[in-house]
Amino acid sequence: MLASDNEPDPHVKIYASGGVDWKFYDHPESLIEEGLRYKEQGYSAFKFRKGTDWSFSDMSLKKYLPFLYKLREAVGPDMDLMHESLGGSGLSVDEIVEEFCPVLEELKFLWFEEPTGRSQEEQTIYNHIRINQALPNVMVTGGETKTNRFQFKEWLDRNALDIPQPDANNMGLTECWYVARMANVLGKYCVPHNWHGGLTTMANAHFTAAIPNRLMCELNQTVNPLTTEVFIDPLVVNDGYMDLPDKPGFGMELAPDLEKRFPFVPGPAMSFRRKNPVIQGGMYKRSKK
């Protein structure tokens, strides 16, 4: 149910966004272990990715689907599960519609995010509408790379998206607010994308608290000192909720000497990512043993 009024709620539900480091070629059961770990920590919602590049891992949909059944059985029916994009899996839209979507419905997933990937060729309104029509109960979400309300409008109006996912890091709080109001008029939730550091997390969490069609806010579970070490008082999630401070601004005081601890490093925005030692030089080839 959408919120019935415009009163902000500083008790913000947080979902665990992970499933990044599980590898089919090395301990594939780690996905199930990760889901159980978040459940033990008090989270009631877990979003995960499709695992190591499928062409490298020799993965197929037939091999992949059993993991979804195992995960659902392990965490139980009360934990919300959300699946990230299948972009890069090599699956066609027809395969996603005919073979993948029915499993998400059967396992009662909450949503399917950016289902076809983010390339211009894959990410079309037509493909999203097809997938949404194949998911009568599972919601289709997306929009993290969009930068203003106008880019969302047609996707919302044509039901290509059930939930828009603006990001204050990409489009600012004001534009996020407009997107949320547009969605609210259509009876849709708005859930921000939040895959960056602690400052962006506080902006997106306050945004979530302020809108009437709030549901929850994402929290990146990968190791990131720019999330955990930039404030004097650390971010705290208890039983899947973050209680926002009532201090001025976003309510957090920055730790001293951040510019010395985290100096600017020139280069591509994603240059901080560590290379997978098994996948050499960006080439998806199995290493010789």
Side-chain angles (χ1 to χ4, degrees), residues 5 25-26 29 36 39 44 59 64-66 93 98 114 127 129 131 134 167 170 201 225 241 251 274 276 278 280:
D5 54 47
Y25 59 82
D26 179 20
E29 297 295 322
L36 288 172
K39 184 174 182 179
S44 62
M59 180 53 59
Y64 180 70
L65 291 179
V93 175
E98 296 169 9
E114 302 279 5
N127 285 341
I129 291 174
I131 292 169
D167 188 335
N170 293 334
T201 293
Y241 282 84
R274 296 180 180 177
N276 187 322
V278 180
Q280 299 297 328

Side-chain angles (χ1 to χ4, degrees), residues 170-191:
N170 293 334
M171 60 193 301
L173 282 171
T174 301
E175 283 299 301
C176 285
W177 181 87
Y178 277 116
V179 172
R181 300 303 292 187
M182 289 164 54
N184 194 51
V185 168
L186 297 171
K188 299 175 183 286
Y189 291 112
C190 184
V191 178

Side-chain angles (χ1 to χ4, degrees), residues 23 46 62 110 147:
K23 312 173 188 68
F46 171 40
K62 183 178 180 180
L110 183 62
T147 57

Side-chain angles (χ1 to χ4, degrees), residues 63-83:
K63 296 177 183 178
Y64 180 70
L65 291 179
F67 287 104
L68 303 190
Y69 285 92
K70 289 180 181 179
L71 178 61
R72 170 53 79 199
E73 182 179 6
V75 301
D78 297 330
M79 189 171 196
D80 287 326
L81 294 175
M82 299 89 84
H83 200 291

Side-chain angles (χ1 to χ4, degrees), residues 25-243:
Y25 59 82
D26 179 20
H27 193 46
E29 297 295 322
S30 63
L31 175 69
I32 287 81
E33 295 169 1
E34 185 176 358
L36 288 172
R37 184 168 69 251
Y38 296 142
K39 184 174 182 179
E40 290 172 0
Q41 293 172 2
Y43 288 99
S44 62
F46 171 40
K47 184 176 78 180
F48 61 96
R49 280 75 185 165
K50 69 183 189 311
T52 316
D53 184 273
W54 285 20
S55 61
F56 174 84
S57 305
D58 192 29
M59 180 53 59
S60 66
L61 194 58
K62 183 178 180 180
K63 296 177 183 178
Y64 180 70
L65 291 179
F67 287 104
L68 303 190
Y69 285 92
K70 289 180 181 179
L71 178 61
R72 170 53 79 199
E73 182 179 6
V75 301
D78 297 330
M79 189 171 196
D80 287 326
L81 294 175
M82 299 89 84
H83 200 291
E84 255 278 9
S85 171
L86 282 174
S89 65
L91 296 176
S92 68
V93 175
D94 286 342
E95 289 174 309
I96 293 174
V97 167
E98 296 169 9
E99 300 178 49
F100 189 72
C101 288
V103 174
L104 295 186
E105 282 284 316
E106 179 185 351
L107 298 179
K108 300 185 186 304
F109 271 58
L110 183 62
W111 75 56
F112 188 13
E113 182 169 329
E114 302 279 5
T116 59
R118 298 174 182 84
S119 73
Q120 189 172 9
E121 180 180 352
E122 292 178 313
Q123 194 185 62
T124 67
I125 289 181
Y126 173 70
N127 285 341
H128 275 66
I129 291 174
R130 280 193 64 198
I131 292 169
N132 207 357
Q133 290 174 342
L135 293 168
N137 299 297
V138 179
M139 294 179 284
V140 173
T141 70
E144 66 191 60
T145 61
K146 300 185 189 303
T147 57
N148 60 67
R149 76 197 90 157
F150 307 103
Q151 295 172 352
F152 275 99
K153 187 176 188 308
E154 185 178 6
W155 292 72
L156 293 173
D157 289 345
R158 296 181 61 184
N159 285 323
L161 292 176
D162 294 307
I163 299 178
Q165 293 177 301
D167 188 335
N169 192 71
N170 293 334
M171 60 193 301
L173 282 171
T174 301
E175 283 299 301
C176 285
W177 181 87
Y178 277 116
V179 172
R181 300 303 292 187
M182 289 164 54
N184 194 51
V185 168
L186 297 171
K188 299 175 183 286
Y189 291 112
C190 184
V191 178
H193 170 263
N194 183 59
W195 192 252
H196 309 287
L199 291 168
T200 298
T201 293
M202 293 313 298
N204 282 315
H206 277 78
F207 164 68
T208 302
I211 59 177
N213 49 339
R214 70 185 75 92
L215 181 58
M216 51 186 164
C217 185
E218 180 175 22
L219 185 61
N220 183 344
Q221 300 296 313
T222 59
V223 176
N224 182 0
L226 292 177
T227 295
T228 58
E229 299 178 23
V230 295
F231 301 123
I232 291 178
D233 297 316
L235 298 174
V236 177
V237 178
N238 289 316
D239 294 326
Y241 282 84
M242 180 186 293
D243 288 304

